[in-house]
Amino acid sequence: MALKSFIEVHSDSHFPIQNLPFGVFKPLPTSPPRPGVAIGDYVLDLSQIALAGLFNGPALNGTDCFLQPNLNKFLSLGRPAWKEARATLQKLLSSTEPTLRDNADLREKSLVPMSKVEMVLPVVIGDYTDFFSSIYHTKNCGIIFRGPQTPIRDNWFQLPVAYHGRASSIIVSGTDVVRPRGQSAPTGSPPVQFGPSKKLDFELEMAVVVGPGNELGKPIDIKEAADHIFGLVLMNDWSARDIQAWESFPLGPFLGKSFGSTISPWIVTLDALEPFACDAPKQDPKPLPYLTEKISKNYDVSLEVRIKPVGEQDSHVVSRSNLKHLYWTLTQQLAHHTVNGCNLRPGDLLGTGTISGPVWLQSFPTFLGSCLKLILLYHVVLNRNRILLDAC
Amino acid sequence: MALKSFIEVHSDSHFPIQNLPFGVFKPLPTSPPRPGVAIGDYVLDLSQIALAGLFNGPALNGTDCFLQPNLNKFLSLGRPAWKEARATLQKLLSSTEPTLRDNADLREKSLVPMSKVEMVLPVVIGDYTDFFSSIYHTKNCGIIFRGPQTPIRDNWFQLPVAYHGRASSIIVSGTDVVRPRGQSAPTGSPPVQFGPSKKLDFELEMAVVVGPGNELGKPIDIKEAADHIFGLVLMNDWSARDIQAWESFPLGPFLGKSFGSTISPWIVTLDALEPFACDAPKQDPKPLPYLTEKISKNYDVSLEVRIKPVGEQDSHVVSRSNLKHLYWTLTQQLAHHTVNGCNLRPGDLLGTGTISGPVWLQSFPTFLGSCLKLILLYHVVLNRNRILLDAC
Ligand SMILES: [Ca+2]
Ligand SMILES: [Ca+2]
Ligand SMILES: [Mg+2]
Ligand SMILES: [Mg+2]
Ligand code: NI
């Protein structure tokens, strides 16, 4: 029989006892932030569980990692601590375990209705990298920029292409995004225009949250790469295509991306995703030895993008995809990132790159219309993002 | 008569009382790091000056910004605090002021011989951006990649081109750099090679250290840009040209850069650089209004690169340049960076881009020879960097 919680969890909930994603929240607007896990319609306050002495396994006993305003310290402890925390919490929350179930005082202190909490960024992000690992997306972009004959350049099949992104402007789901202003050149050359972006786009991605990481100069072997992946968040890599197109030669995207990138407040652990593991696509040509893995694993996670215009009741599905389509696996991305000696730190974020093809807002003239405000509702498996366009 | 310190300062010292650059140091390997300024052959310990109650002006009185292990809090206070600190320290160190000069106990506690201290990174760097603002460098690169007819693309004259760099691998001068491994494709297509970079290069840059910064979504007007620049460091943006050339299409440089970037431990303040201000080059075409400044200012700072092979006594000058050659000014770079709403934070680093043309190590076969170790000595106006190639 499947593991069940003593807390009622609706059958359509994203947060059964099998998931238990980690986040950071404030029970009241004035409370200091603290770590929690999602269970049904509740958030379990891990600082209360820690203060009650219930993290008493060998890896976590006595640690203050759940008394921090972010998850970075917990992430730095590595997989033994993550597995122990998950096992402890699954046991505590299970229907057969009395410790929390029958302790009204502790339940009162530690279980907060999700509708009342404010979620904040779960980690301090030292560096954010965005990969470009979906073959469908790469092909679509290549057809636009290089034509249908050779849409993908040779280097893409040899290494997971990536660029450094902006860490400061990563925001948690639900934070308004201000429409960026900038230069563009619709014909590709001067005269240039200046004003709010007319080609604001989303990119549906997931992103790895890095665990312990490595010292500068000491690459992580691909065999150890999975131990440096704590879990995954959803990500919307907002992109202003008109700004991006004009600025990107020869050094890549900059202001077309750095005005904001939204992540989900909940980090789904790799352990929770394990039942959804599946084979990654076969790679041809064969990757170099430093990127070769015995078992090449993706995860079967269906993803969906919806847009909800201001004043409308219904949202419209504009994109459907699946994480299993990644050509380069998460572990290959991580091993590649460090092969030159680059150091990863706990809480670093590695975006997968767009998992589906881009859909520009201008493709939805009926949504844009002559409105002054537009709310984009970006609803994906586990979360919601909103964008507020301050003019259009 | 010029201001003089009671501390003897050699006439060829980089650290007269007119300079007073800020850094962070450890008096002993086991001491906690604390802020200091350089004066002659000494470092003045600002934590001791603060504990002695000598920062008693309106902006700094009672602050603990000099009791921190980095300068970020001081930087967040803005120009009034920076000017007050500089005035306080110039007075304290002047030959006519008895407070420190005649207090043997405080001198003993606060003045540490520079030869004994360990300098550490002066700031926690949230994000690092590298611009591409020298017209000579851009032209040289353009001739290599695009030919002599149109070496520079139109966008370069309309905006300061830039890319996001890696913050985690920024190291302080004197830290060994491990030669990066990676993929390359000498012919531009497969088969690919893997191994230590054969085209390790330096890039001579300076970099702005950001002050208060801005909230996400609220650009900094160019008229206020200078108030967000605390000062400048020297930077060596180590670059592996073979790795960079193969990986960079279409998203820009990544592992070819992220294995390490060296900055000087001392930040020279904009106030100390003011006597060296000079006119920036005339810009044609005229920049857009958001990049237009009444007075367009550069700084006349001569820069020099020297290389010193292992086992040789002498270093060889391989590059000479000057900060005044920047086409886009520091304030234009900063205003551009935020025009889309991107937020800058105290301690962020904005590299100017290479100030002189690139000189590849392979241009120096007599230095490389059949050596197993090579030490690069990168000596510029105010500092020294070293690289250790672990194989060649
Ligand atoms: Ca973005
Ligand atoms: Ca570098
Ligand atoms: Mg992206
Ligand atoms: Mg550079
Ligand atoms: Ni509308």
Side-chain angles (χ1 to χ4, degrees), chain B residues 119-382:
Chain B
M119 299 304 299
V120 300
L121 271 187
V123 284
V124 174
I125 300 163
D127 276 289
Y128 152 50
T129 300
D130 200 13
F131 283 86
F132 191 48
S133 289
S134 155
I135 195 164
Y136 302 103
H137 178 56
T138 307
K139 208 175 264 175
N140 290 341
C141 293
I143 289 169
I144 294 168
F145 291 112
R146 296 165 44 85
Q149 299 310 313
T150 53
I152 306 184
R153 282 252 280 237
D154 287 333
N155 66 346
W156 194 89
F157 290 103
Q158 300 285 346
L159 55 84
V161 168
Y163 65 99
H164 304 295
R166 181 82 192 174
S168 71
S169 56
I170 295 174
I171 49 184
V172 73
S173 187
T175 308
D176 288 342
V177 173
V178 176
R179 186 175 182 161
R181 299 183 304 158
Q183 288 193 31
S184 61
T187 66
S189 50
V192 293
Q193 298 181 351
F194 180 81
S197 171
K198 290 175 185 160
K199 286 192 180 174
L200 196 56
D201 193 7
F202 62 87
E203 291 191 340
L204 168 58
E205 307 193 18
M206 294 191 77
V208 158
V209 181
V210 172
N214 59 311
E215 262 177 71
L216 186 61
K218 306 219 166 132
I220 295 173
D221 191 279
I222 191 148
K223 289 200 282 293
E224 266 91 59
D227 284 342
H228 294 272
I229 299 178
F230 173 66
L232 289 166
V233 288
L234 277 168
M235 185 164 81
N236 182 350
D237 176 17
W238 301 104
S239 300
R241 300 300 177 196
D242 41 1
I243 296 172
Q244 185 185 346
W246 173 235
E247 73 179 351
S248 289
F249 182 86
L251 297 176
F254 182 52
L255 300 187
K257 298 278 192 178
S258 64
F259 58 92
S261 308
T262 305
I263 63 170
S264 63
W266 295 112
I267 308 172
V268 179
T269 63
L270 221 53
D271 291 323
L273 285 169
E274 194 51 39
F276 306 97
C278 61
D279 288 341
K282 201 177 142 36
Q283 294 177 322
D284 177 27
K286 259 185 65 172
L288 287 176
Y290 83 92
L291 292 172
T292 300
E293 15 192 21
K294 277 207 183 117
I295 300 167
S296 220
K297 208 194 268 183
N298 270 352
Y299 298 92
D300 184 354
V301 178
S302 63
L303 301 163
E304 191 177 282
V305 182
R306 292 167 175 267
I307 289 185
K308 186 176 170 220
V310 165
E312 285 197 23
Q313 279 296 352
D314 300 330
S315 57
H316 306 251
V317 175
V318 294
S319 180
R320 283 203 174 93
S321 193
N322 195 301
L323 182 61
K324 72 184 175 192
H325 295 322
L326 287 187
Y327 183 83
W328 293 103
T329 66
L330 305 176
T331 38
Q332 287 176 320
Q333 292 176 357
L334 191 136
H336 180 67
H337 202 315
T338 68
V339 73
N340 70 338
C342 179
N343 53 331
L344 299 177
R345 295 177 292 189
D348 282 354
L349 209 64
L350 314 183
T352 57
T354 305
I355 300 171
S356 62
V359 188
W360 289 356
L361 272 190
Q362 61 171 16
S363 321
F364 304 100
T366 55
F367 296 172
L368 277 167
S370 59
C371 62
L372 281 174
K373 285 206 172 183
L374 175 79
I375 286 176
L376 249 181
L377 205 146
Y378 177 82
H379 177 100
V380 233
V381 181
L382 302 157

Side-chain angles (χ1 to χ4, degrees), chain B residues 83-139:
Chain B
K83 279 198 177 292
E84 186 176 301
R86 179 172 166 83
T88 300
L89 293 168
Q90 275 194 331
K91 181 161 182 236
L92 261 187
L93 290 165
S94 77
S95 55
T96 56
E97 168 67 31
T99 311
L100 178 59
R101 185 193 66 195
D102 299 346
N103 184 335
D105 181 50
L106 185 58
R107 280 204 321 273
E108 170 74 18
K109 273 197 280 199
S110 66
L111 284 163
V112 191
M114 199 176 278
S115 59
K116 299 214 168 143
V117 307
E118 181 192 341
M119 299 304 299
V120 300
L121 271 187
V123 284
V124 174
I125 300 163
D127 276 289
Y128 152 50
T129 300
D130 200 13
F131 283 86
F132 191 48
S133 289
S134 155
I135 195 164
Y136 302 103
H137 178 56
T138 307
K139 208 175 264 175

Side-chain angles (χ1 to χ4, degrees), chain A residues 166 168 183 255 340 343 348, chain B residues 158 166 168 255 343 348:
Chain A
R166 180 82 193 173
S168 70
Q183 288 192 30
L255 300 187
N340 69 340
N343 53 330
D348 282 354
Chain B
Q158 300 285 346
R166 181 82 192 174
S168 71
L255 300 187
N343 53 331
D348 282 354

Side-chain angles (χ1 to χ4, degrees), chain A residues 367-369 371 373-374:
Chain A
F367 295 173
L368 277 167
C371 60
K373 286 203 174 188
L374 176 78

Side-chain angles (χ1 to χ4, degrees), chain A residues 231-295:
Chain A
L232 289 166
V233 288
L234 276 169
M235 186 165 80
N236 181 350
D237 176 17
W238 301 105
S239 301
R241 299 301 178 196
D242 40 2
I243 297 171
Q244 185 185 347
W246 173 235
E247 72 177 354
S248 288
F249 181 85
L251 297 176
F254 181 52
L255 300 187
K257 297 279 192 177
S258 64
F259 58 93
S261 308
T262 304
I263 63 170
S264 63
W266 294 113
I267 308 171
V268 179
T269 64
L270 221 54
D271 291 322
L273 286 168
E274 194 50 39
F276 305 98
C278 63
D279 288 342
K282 200 176 142 40
Q283 295 177 320
D284 178 25
K286 257 184 66 173
L288 287 176
Y290 83 93
L291 292 171
T292 300
E293 16 193 20
K294 277 207 184 115
I295 299 166

